[in-house]
Amino acid sequence: MKKPLLFTAALVSFASAFSQFPYDATVLNEYYLPLDDPTSLGIEVGWDDPEVQIPLDFSIDLDGNNSGGILMIGGTGEMLINTTENSLLNILWPISLDVMDIGAVEAEEFSSIQYQVTGDSPNRILKIEWDNCGSYDEISGLGTTTLRINFQTWIYESGGIIEYRFGPNTINSDSLELDFLTSGIILGFDYDYYDGTFYTASGEAEDPDWTLTDDFYQWYYSGANLSGVPVEGTVYRFGPAVNVIEPKGESHNFFTYPNPTAGSAWLQNGPEAAEFQVFDATGRTVHAFFLGGGRQAQLPAETWATGTYTIRSMTPSGRTSTVRLLVD
C-alpha cells in the first residue's frame, strides 16, 4: 500500500458520539448478485483514491446519532465515510485493499464504483458496488491487472443492519504482500489524535474473529489480520448488538419450545418474516438464519454448551423481539 496509515490527509473530520458499540457481526453465505440497475458515480477512467459523495434522500444512522444522508468514498478507494455532527469519522471498511481502476492501463476494460437504492420507504437499502476493481500495488508496480475484486456494501434504512457482500476475486494469500488485511467498522475516529472505536476482523476470512478496541496503535500494529480475501458469497453482516436497549414500539412475536431444553429446540415464528440471531452469554453469535412468517425452524441446541442463550429477531419493517432459551 502506498499509504503508511489508513487515511489520507485529504480526509476532513466528522463526528459521532456513542455510549457503547452498537454492532455485532455475523458471517453468512449468500449468492452474490451484481447490481442490476446501478447509478454511476461519474468517476473518471483511471481513478485511484476517488473522493466522491453518494447523495441520498433518506437518513442513515451508523452510530445512533442520526448521522445524515451522505456518504463519501475515500481513504484508499474502498472506504465509506459518514458525516456526523461532532467532527469525527464513522467509517465502513469492507476490505482493506487499495483498489484502483484497471482502466489506467487497460485499453477496453475499466472498473466502476456505483450504487443503487432498492425497496420503498421506510425499508430501503442503499447498495454500493465496487465492480471489477484492480489493485494499486499491482498496477503501479507491474503495470498488470491480473488481480480483480468485486464487493458490495448494503446499508439498510431501517433495522440498523450493514452488510459487506463479497463477489468473485482473483486475489489469494500469495497475490500480494498483505501485511494489513482486515474488514470492519470504525466509529468516532479522530484523525488528529487517532482516537476511535475499532471493530475489525482477523483470522480465517470465512470464520473470522472480531475484535473491539479503542487503542489505534495496538490494533494497527498487532499483526492480527485476515488470512485472505473472503471467497465469493461470503457476507459480513453487522446487526444491533445484543446489549442495546430495545426501541419502544410494537415488537415481533415468536416463541421457542421446549424451554428449558436438554436437546434440540424449535422456534415458531409469528406472522411476519424475520432475521434471527442466537447469542451465547458472552454475546457471541452461535446461530443465524432467516425464517418466513408462520414458519418453524429447528435450533441445534444440542450442540451448544449449557447456559442461557438470547434469541433476537428483526423484521424488514424494523420490529424486534428477544427471547431467552435455557439449555441444560
Side-chain angles (χ1 to χ4, degrees), residues 80 185 195 206 259 323:
L80 292 172
I185 295 176
D195 290 331
E206 283 70 60
N259 190 2
V323 168

Side-chain angles (χ1 to χ4, degrees), residues 18-138:
F18 55 93
S19 58
Q20 60 185 359
F21 197 79
Y23 297 105
D24 277 329
T26 303
V27 181
L28 306 175
N29 190 276
E30 298 185 8
Y31 190 70
Y32 184 85
L33 291 174
L35 299 186
D36 58 1
D37 187 24
T39 298
S40 171
L41 287 169
I43 308 171
E44 64 182 14
V45 174
W47 55 260
D48 174 38
D49 302 347
E51 293 180 12
V52 60
Q53 292 183 336
I54 303 173
L56 293 175
D57 59 0
F58 63 88
S59 181
I60 58 173
D61 187 2
L62 300 183
D63 61 5
N65 289 284
N66 296 319
S67 301
I70 293 201
L71 289 169
M72 183 176 77
I73 308 285
T76 49
E78 77 290 358
M79 294 179 182
L80 292 172
I81 302 166
N82 185 227
T83 60
T84 60
E85 56 185 25
N86 297 326
S87 300
L88 305 177
L89 299 168
N90 286 339
I91 299 167
L92 303 182
W93 206 2
I95 191 72
S96 59
L97 291 173
D98 193 349
V99 297
M100 183 177 178
D101 179 14
I102 61 174
V105 296
E106 296 289 346
E108 298 181 357
E109 291 185 277
F110 59 92
S111 310
S112 300
I113 305 178
Q114 50 207 12
Y115 75 98
Q116 182 178 11
V117 177
T118 62
D120 299 315
S121 178
N123 299 307
R124 289 168 288 189
I125 306 173
L126 168 65
K127 303 176 180 180
I128 305 105
E129 180 177 67
W130 286 258
D131 180 55
N132 199 31
C133 292
S135 160
Y136 169 85
D137 289 347
E138 182 192 16

Side-chain angles (χ1 to χ4, degrees), residues 257-277:
Y257 64 94
N259 190 2
T261 180
S264 64
W266 290 85
L267 185 147
Q268 174 65 54
N269 196 11
E272 192 171 1
E275 294 279 352
F276 291 86
Q277 286 182 282

Side-chain angles (χ1 to χ4, degrees), residues 166-186:
F166 297 95
N169 76 83
T170 58
I171 301 173
N172 58 54
S173 58
D174 298 324
S175 298
L176 299 168
E177 292 185 11
L178 301 176
D179 57 344
F180 183 78
L181 184 64
T182 191
S183 176
I185 295 176
I186 302 171

Side-chain angles (χ1 to χ4, degrees), residues 198-324:
F198 309 88
Y199 188 53
T200 54
S202 63
E204 294 298 322
E206 283 70 60
D207 187 22
D209 298 319
W210 296 91
T211 301
L212 181 65
T213 182
D214 60 1
D215 187 332
F216 169 83
Y217 294 99
Q218 189 280 331
W219 163 67
Y220 187 71
Y221 295 108
S222 68
N225 302 325
L226 286 173
S227 60
V229 176
V231 300
E232 181 177 359
T234 303
V235 178
Y236 292 167
R237 172 174 291 178
F238 303 88
V242 69
N243 60 347
V244 173
I245 297 174
E246 295 285 348
K248 295 181 179 180
E250 187 175 0
S251 63
H252 169 245
N253 296 318
F254 71 96
F255 64 92
T256 63
Y257 64 94
N259 190 2
T261 180
S264 64
W266 290 85
L267 185 147
Q268 174 65 54
N269 196 11
E272 192 171 1
E275 294 279 352
F276 291 86
Q277 286 182 282
V278 183
F279 304 88
D280 66 15
T282 69
R284 181 176 64 93
T285 301
V286 298
H287 193 50
F289 59 100
F290 179 86
L291 191 61
R295 303 293 297 274
Q296 287 185 335
Q298 188 171 16
L299 303 175
E302 70 277 7
T303 66
W304 302 341
T306 299
T308 300
Y309 292 78
T310 300
I311 305 173
R312 184 187 185 93
S313 71
M314 177 171 293
T315 71
S317 63
R319 297 179 181 178
T320 62
S321 190
T322 299
V323 168
R324 310 292 183 193

